[in-house]
Each structure stands twice: as C-alpha cells, then as structure tokens.
Amino acid sequence: MPSFSEAHPLSPTQNVLNCLWLLIIGVPPLLFGYLFTHRCPTTLYSFNEQNADEVWWMPKLDAWENVCRFGAQHPLLTVNAVLFVCMDVAFWIANLVQNSTWLIDPYWTIIPLMIGQFYWSHPFANGHPIRAWAVMILLWVWSARLTFNYFRRENWSFGAREDWRFAELRRKFPGSWWWSSFFLAYVSQHLFLFGITLPLYPAFADPTPQHMGVTDWACLALSVFGVALAERADTVLRDFMLANERREAQGQQKVLLLKEGPWKYSRHPNYVGEQLQWWGLALLAVHQGHSWMALGAFLNSVCLGVATQMVEQRMLRQENRREVYKQYQREVDCWIPFSQPIAAVKAMLPGGEAPARAHRE
C-alpha cells in the first residue's frame, strides 16, 4: 500500500487554495442562518389576515421580509432551497472549476450539523429542552468525530483526492460528466442529506411527549452506540493502514486483509455504526409521532447497501486480495454479526476486544 503522499501528491500552494475553497463555500449558508436568526423581525411570524399562512409571497413586504416569513412558515422547504443553491449549484460549479468533487466529502460531516442548528434556532422551535439538547450534543459529537476522521484519513490535506466512485464515473463518462455530476454527485446527495436529517426537526420543534421516557433514552442510546461503533471501526482501520505502511517501509510483506476488533465480526462495521446513529434518531421521530420521517434513514440504508456492494466488488477486482476476501465473506457477516453477537458488541465498543495478531493469508 503506497503512502498517502505517494498516492495523492498535492503541492502546498494547492493545499492552501483548497482550504480556502472549503472555507469560502461554507460562508453563504452560515451567513443565511445568522441573518435568519438575528435579522428577521419577529412581527413577520404572525399575521391576522385571512389565509396569510398559505401565501408564499406578500407584495407589501420586501424581498428579505418575504424570505424571513417563508423560512418561518416552511422550515423544511427552506432547508431544501438553501441546499439547492449552496450545495447543489455552488458545489457543482466548484467541481467544474477544480475538476474534482472532493468538497462534498468533508461537507457530508458538516451539512447535517448546519441543518440541525437551523432547526434548533428556528423561531417556532419549542421541543422538549432535554430532548433537544441531547440531540444537538449528539449531532455535534457525530460531526466532530467524522470530520476528524476524514481529515486524519486524508493526512490533513484538502482535496488531494475525490471519492473513488465519482472518480470512476469521471473516467467512464468523460464527455457527459460535466453535467451529469450535478445530479449524480449533488442532487442525489441533497436528497440523502435532507432525508437523514428529517428526524432532527421534530426533536427541536415538537414538545411531545412532554416527558423524557425510557423510549427516548433508548433511541438516543442506540445513536450513541452507533457513533461509538463507527469511531472504533475507523480507528482500527486507521491503525491497520499505518501498520501496513510501516511493514512496506521495512521491506516486509503487507497484510492483505483487516480482521481485527469489530472487523472480525462485521465486514462493514463503520457503515453499521453510521446507520445505527441515524436509525436511533429516526426511531425517536417515530416515537414522537412522525413515522414518515424514518424514510430518510431507510433511504440512507439503501444507499449504504449499494455502497457496500461497490466496495466488495472493488475488493474482488484486486487479484492479490480476491481469494482472501472471498474467504472473509464466507466467515464474517456483511453487516449485522448474527453469528457471534455478544462477542461482536464487546469488540465494537471503545476499549473493547484488543486487536490480535494481524490476519495474514
């Protein structure tokens, strides 16, 4: 396995420029959130006129006042409008300029937090305070963990590579990728990002149930376990890759397959952790009476199911790993470790089963 710098060369100047891209492209949605929270007159949120709530644009108000009123009356539509302008369009233009979709990867860990902050600071947010605080803290922890893991994986560089799936599509369809990337890389992920964050809205906007019960805490505990599992899996994977780089530097044979910690019981424990985190929040929304919002978690599971198949096919295309990975598929469950559930849970928790000797075949 080549080192990061060998596989993904990036000059210091380009690294700084990409960092600026990362910061600048996030300014518009942050600015909108700030202005909406601090520069919208509260008198716009209530009208006595007949059917006023059904009118999207009122001529007697100026443009910003109409935006404020629309955002207050239709928070879910407002999130979609901001995502379309600030992610779909802006990120697509950045992709055309840079010839890379890399920006969507770090922002996958940030956009859900932005959406959660918007719902939390919304003028009509009146959710149960403990539930709202618990969900917000969980969201911050999830975002911080995943953002840290992303930049750690990228060796603290900015835009050295794009997601390999998009890179393959770029190579396969060079003539049409400039326009199809708008739908495949951005509109599609817009739908997933909006979907998985749907359960955040009732957590901040719906005060029912009025008391935090066992179900609330169980749903939150499931999400916490998912975050912990994903962190454990990513850390073990990171240690494995670094150990392989050290072996290669010392002229030793590389280990072809990770089969330690949670990877001993599930072939994709990081995906399992990510799903559990969002399903915990989805079940919380169901508990609050918003069952349809679990659709976002379902779509996310479908997406990760497709991603799982793509990852496994990619492993099987590597001639030196094909037979080893086929054996791994026969021995270890794909997602849920049905064969050894108790041992798997112990290995999946932070500080759980210590990695044994590396799996070598």
Side-chain angles (χ1 to χ4, degrees):
M1 178 183 296
S3 66
F4 184 91
S5 59
E6 292 170 342
H8 313 96
L10 193 67
S11 69
T13 301
Q14 188 61 52
N15 197 43
V16 171
L17 290 175
N18 285 351
C19 179
L20 291 176
W21 267 104
L22 182 73
L23 296 175
I24 292 172
I25 207 165
V27 170
L30 289 174
L31 181 61
F32 172 82
Y34 174 82
L35 293 176
F36 181 82
T37 304
H38 297 89
R39 294 292 186 268
C40 282
T42 56
T43 55
L44 296 175
Y45 300 146
S46 60
F47 282 83
N48 296 322
E49 299 178 19
Q50 186 178 6
N51 299 325
D53 289 347
E54 300 176 7
V55 178
W56 287 16
W57 188 272
M58 302 189 71
K60 69 179 182 179
L61 302 179
D62 63 30
W64 176 245
E65 288 174 335
N66 271 291
V67 169
C68 291
R69 187 168 174 278
F70 182 85
Q73 298 293 341
H74 306 283
L76 298 181
L77 291 177
T78 300
V79 165
N80 276 283
V82 174
L83 277 176
F84 180 80
V85 174
C86 297
M87 190 190 83
D88 300 7
V89 175
F91 281 49
W92 178 62
I93 293 173
N95 164 49
L96 296 181
V97 174
Q98 291 197 302
N99 198 34
S100 174
T101 61
W102 76 273
L103 276 168
I104 192 62
D105 291 332
Y107 268 98
W108 241 98
T109 72
I110 300 171
I111 289 174
L113 181 61
M114 291 180 172
I115 294 174
Q117 288 284 163
F118 176 77
Y119 291 151
W120 195 29
S121 61
H122 194 272
F124 291 163
N126 63 341
H128 189 286
I130 297 178
R131 185 183 297 116
W133 270 101
V135 170
M136 198 69 242
I137 291 172
L138 176 66
L139 193 60
W140 269 98
V141 171
W142 170 85
S143 179
R145 185 210 76 79
L146 205 55
T147 302
F148 171 79
N149 181 70
Y150 169 79
F151 285 109
R152 177 180 63 176
R153 187 186 69 210
E154 299 299 300
N155 202 27
W156 308 104
S157 66
F158 299 87
R161 58 178 174 177
E162 65 180 344
D163 187 286
W164 62 270
R165 288 164 283 248
F166 293 143
E168 285 189 357
L169 289 172
R170 184 187 300 277
R171 287 193 295 270
K172 288 181 179 179
F173 308 103
S176 61
W177 180 245
W178 73 269
W179 65 264
S180 61
S181 59
F182 177 74
F183 301 97
L184 296 176
Y186 303 113
V187 173
S188 63
Q189 301 204 65
H190 171 155
L191 297 176
F192 288 122
L193 284 165
F194 176 69
I196 61 174
T197 55
L198 265 176
L200 300 176
Y201 181 70
F204 298 125
D206 188 351
T208 57
Q210 297 181 353
H211 302 284
M212 290 288 288
V214 174
T215 303
D216 295 273
W217 292 114
C219 293
L220 291 170
L222 180 63
S223 287
V224 170
F225 177 74
V227 173
L229 169 56
E231 169 60 21
R232 169 80 170 151
D234 285 339
T235 298
V236 172
L237 177 60
R238 170 73 173 177
D239 292 343
F240 170 80
M241 295 176 67
L242 292 176
N244 253 352
E245 287 195 2
R246 289 194 295 269
R247 292 187 188 96
E248 186 178 38
Q250 296 169 3
Q252 300 176 6
Q253 181 183 356
K254 292 188 296 183
V255 177
L256 298 179
L257 183 68
L258 170 60
K259 195 178 178 183
E260 302 172 352
W263 301 86
K264 182 179 178 180
Y265 304 97
S266 171
R267 300 203 299 272
H268 304 277
N270 49 349
Y271 287 179
V272 174
E274 183 73 5
Q275 289 192 71
L276 290 178
Q277 191 263 338
W278 291 112
W279 269 109
L281 294 176
L283 292 175
L284 184 62
V286 171
H287 173 57
Q288 292 185 261
H290 303 270
S291 300
W292 70 275
M293 291 188 173
L295 178 62
F298 173 76
L299 291 176
N300 186 49
S301 295
V302 172
C303 175
L304 287 179
V306 174
T308 296
Q309 293 302 312
M310 294 178 70
V311 169
E312 299 216 335
Q313 289 301 316
R314 188 188 191 202
M315 293 291 290
L316 293 173
R317 287 198 299 268
Q318 300 177 26
E319 186 174 350
N320 62 331
R321 291 183 178 180
R322 184 179 301 121
E323 295 306 317
V324 176
Y325 200 78
K326 285 182 179 179
Q327 182 64 27
Y328 185 51
Q329 289 177 313
R330 289 191 289 268
E331 294 176 350
V332 179
D333 294 307
C334 182
W335 279 356
I336 309 299
F338 293 108
S339 54
Q340 303 181 65
I342 297 178
V345 170
K346 292 180 180 179
M348 289 176 176
L349 291 172
E353 176 183 313
R357 65 179 181 83
H359 180 69
R360 187 193 302 269
E361 293 189 32

